[in-house]
Amino acid sequence: MPDDVVEVLFTEDQIRTRVQDLAHRISEDYKDRRLVLVSILRGSVFFATDLARQIELPLSMDFLSISSYGEGSEGVVRITKDLEENIAGKDVLVIEDIIDTGFTLKYLLRTLGGRNPKSLEVCTLLDRRARRIIDLELKYVGFEIPDKFVIGYGLDYRQRYRNLPYIGVVKP
Ligand code: PRP
């Protein structure tokens, strides 16, 4: 374990089991629909690809990259890489690694909602409710977590640790 990591919150096995549960629910819920997974770069890529492999339905995947303007400008978000696919009339599931304040998600739902998808829901691996400012409905949540700085399985600390197979807590 890297020196900065003080605690393992979820092991690789725990994550795998939870991802399977979510994929199972999604497979049931989206039967006979036109599912598009929209993975928000960069953090959700590990989760999105593992989840997609476990969903037993035809689906498409697309990627969206956004950038926020940092502290003090919460909610000011812009798209830096847009979707390739036209989502009008399709069942869109936004895949996130973590939801904190909800500002990013609010922007995403407003923007994607404006493109007339048939449905628009959210699947997040982690929900750090303690930091929530804007409350939005999250249809699928992997784990609720305490207000700690987490890394691994896509989550970074200064762009490092995304490739750890578990989710850990780093020193404050
Ligand atoms: C994280 C996460 C969400 C956002 C959530 O992305 O993937 O997009 O922050 O925060 P909010 O609820 O307070 O808006 P981050 O900016 O860390 O980018 P990354 O996925 O490229 O690491």
Side-chain angles (χ1 to χ4, degrees):
M1 218 160 68
D3 284 349
D4 295 341
V5 181
V6 291
E7 181 192 345
V8 173
L9 216 50
F10 303 108
T11 65
E12 196 174 352
D13 272 356
Q14 287 173 313
I15 297 168
R16 188 183 306 114
T17 302
R18 192 70 187 120
V19 170
Q20 277 168 358
D21 291 345
L22 292 171
H24 184 72
R25 278 178 54 202
I26 292 166
S27 303
E28 300 265 298
D29 294 349
Y30 285 87
K31 220 172 265 171
D32 302 321
R33 293 167 68 182
R34 296 168 76 193
L35 178 59
V36 185
L37 301 183
V38 171
S39 165
I40 311 304
L41 298 171
R42 289 175 252 183
S44 80
V45 165
F46 292 76
F47 174 45
T49 55
D50 282 349
L51 187 73
R53 262 178 288 220
Q54 299 290 333
I55 297 175
E56 295 177 5
L57 294 175
L59 57 79
S60 65
M61 281 186 91
D62 208 341
F63 300 87
L64 190 69
S65 189
I66 50 180
S67 107
S68 56
Y69 288 96
E71 270 175 56
S73 51
E74 281 82 4
V76 186
V77 181
R78 71 193 161 91
I79 293 178
T80 53
K81 182 225 162 289
D82 208 339
L83 299 176
E84 309 283 330
E85 192 168 335
N86 179 357
I87 58 168
K90 297 179 188 164
D91 293 294
V92 175
L93 189 55
V94 173
I95 311 295
E96 269 286 25
D97 52 346
I98 189 164
I99 309 294
D100 278 332
T101 63
F103 279 120
T104 307
L105 189 60
K106 184 187 173 198
Y107 170 82
L108 286 170
L109 293 178
R110 195 179 55 213
T111 303
L112 297 177
R115 300 180 187 184
N116 302 316
K118 187 169 181 202
S119 67
L120 181 58
E121 302 285 356
V122 180
C123 177
T124 185
L125 179 66
L126 305 179
D127 180 2
R128 194 157 45 192
R129 290 217 138 254
R131 297 195 185 175
R132 193 76 88 256
I133 294 174
I134 296 170
D135 207 13
L136 297 156
E137 194 197 322
L138 308 176
K139 187 162 187 193
Y140 306 96
V141 174
F143 305 100
E144 289 200 8
I145 61 161
D147 192 9
K148 292 178 173 176
F149 198 107
V150 287
I151 46 91
Y153 199 66
L155 294 137
D156 73 302
Y157 172 59
R158 296 183 176 166
Q159 299 308 328
R160 289 178 65 206
Y161 303 130
R162 290 192 198 271
N163 60 323
L164 294 178
Y166 55 86
I167 292 172
V169 175
V170 284
K171 278 182 206 150

